[in-house]
Amino acid sequence: MSMADVFVFAGPPGSGKGTQAKLLAPKLKVPHISLGDLLREAVRSRSKVGEIAKNYLDAGKLVPDNVAIDVAEEAVSRKECKNGFVIDGFPRTLEQAVLFDILLGKLKSNLKKVLYIDIPLEEILKRLTGRRSCRKCGAVYHLTYNPPKKDGICDVCGGELYQRHDDTDEVIKVRYEVYKKQTSPLIDYYTKAGNLVYINGAKDVSEVFKEVSKAVAS
Ligand SMILES: [Zn+2]
């Protein structure tokens, strides 16, 4: 890896792109930036950006380009990103991708690869509708793959488990369709630029990561 390589993870919500990005960053010794986490953080802290973002997130819609770009720019301009970084959830539209290229030029960073985690809707529904989070500590469980010891109770802190509003079937379907529609010009853009790599996301986390590692090394 050269001085400031940037890896983008793309893929529909629930594809596991965040998990893969989180695994790759320490391997490359660079920070992991998650736009979704940054937006949720902004909503929690009730910042100006957070107030705007909340309405979109609650409806399962993408936040407007200017909001996404402002939040991403602030994060990747920090000095810990100067040797490169891994980012997921951004860019999500063609407009964002074009502005991201300009930003990377300013930062003297190089967009190395866009790893698209591909996964069918049925598989995403299976994964996400079983997800439960702890109200108190944020620990995440899955009714099938990682159930809590006691129904509805967090193993870690005893807090109450709940289903995140954006993890219900209806919202997931909307998010998936919005994602596919809005990202298809983005996918074309990166395909033409020669950056795009498809990764089969319908496998175990470790199997997917093997494929990611291979793509990053090539
Ligand atoms: Zn807990």
Side-chain angles (χ1 to χ4, degrees), residues 133-141 153-161:
S133 309
C134 174
R135 271 192 207 286
K136 248 166 131 185
C137 76
V140 179
Y141 299 86
I153 305 287
C154 177
D155 292 351
V156 181
C157 75
E160 181 200 356
L161 301 183

Side-chain angles (χ1 to χ4, degrees), residues 37-203:
D37 285 353
L38 291 174
L39 289 172
R40 278 190 287 274
E41 179 56 43
V43 170
R44 262 199 304 273
S45 70
R46 305 214 168 141
S47 66
K48 212 175 226 176
V49 168
E51 293 293 325
I52 301 168
K54 188 177 189 305
N55 298 320
Y56 290 88
L57 296 177
D58 283 350
K61 290 181 180 158
L62 295 182
V63 297
D65 286 337
N66 63 330
V67 172
I69 287 157
D70 283 355
V71 171
E73 176 161 9
E74 209 257 295
V76 307
S77 300
R78 289 183 204 143
K79 69 171 186 300
E80 53 268 34
C81 290
K82 74 175 192 314
N83 294 328
F85 56 90
V86 172
I87 187 166
D88 77 80
F90 180 88
R92 292 262 295 241
T93 65
L94 181 57
E95 289 71 21
Q96 290 175 22
V98 171
L99 287 166
F100 191 49
D101 276 347
I102 295 167
L103 175 61
L104 292 180
K106 273 197 285 187
L107 297 171
K108 299 193 168 49
S109 296
N110 167 44
L111 178 56
K112 190 80 174 164
K113 288 215 166 80
V114 176
L115 302 143
Y116 187 91
I117 312 292
D118 205 14
I119 183 167
L121 177 60
E122 302 71 59
E123 179 69 24
I124 292 173
L125 286 173
K126 217 165 35 183
R127 288 183 187 183
L128 289 189
T129 53
R131 195 158 74 169
R132 296 292 181 273
S133 309
C134 174
R135 271 192 207 286
K136 248 166 131 185
C137 76
V140 179
Y141 299 86
H142 192 282
L143 298 183
T144 313
Y145 308 118
N146 176 32
K149 291 198 182 85
K150 260 195 226 158
D151 252 10
I153 305 287
C154 177
D155 292 351
V156 181
C157 75
E160 181 200 356
L161 301 183
Y162 76 110
Q163 183 173 27
R164 244 172 56 184
H165 170 66
D166 55 356
D167 281 351
T168 55
D169 264 27
E170 201 95 327
V171 179
I172 292 164
K173 274 183 202 158
V174 172
R175 283 162 80 207
Y176 188 84
E177 268 141 37
V178 169
Y179 183 87
K180 285 278 172 168
K181 198 171 148 210
Q182 296 214 344
T183 50
S184 81
L186 175 83
I187 299 309
D188 291 345
Y189 177 78
Y190 285 134
T191 302
K192 279 187 195 122
N195 294 122
L196 197 81
V197 184
Y198 276 98
I199 305 287
N200 177 7
K203 291 190 289 189

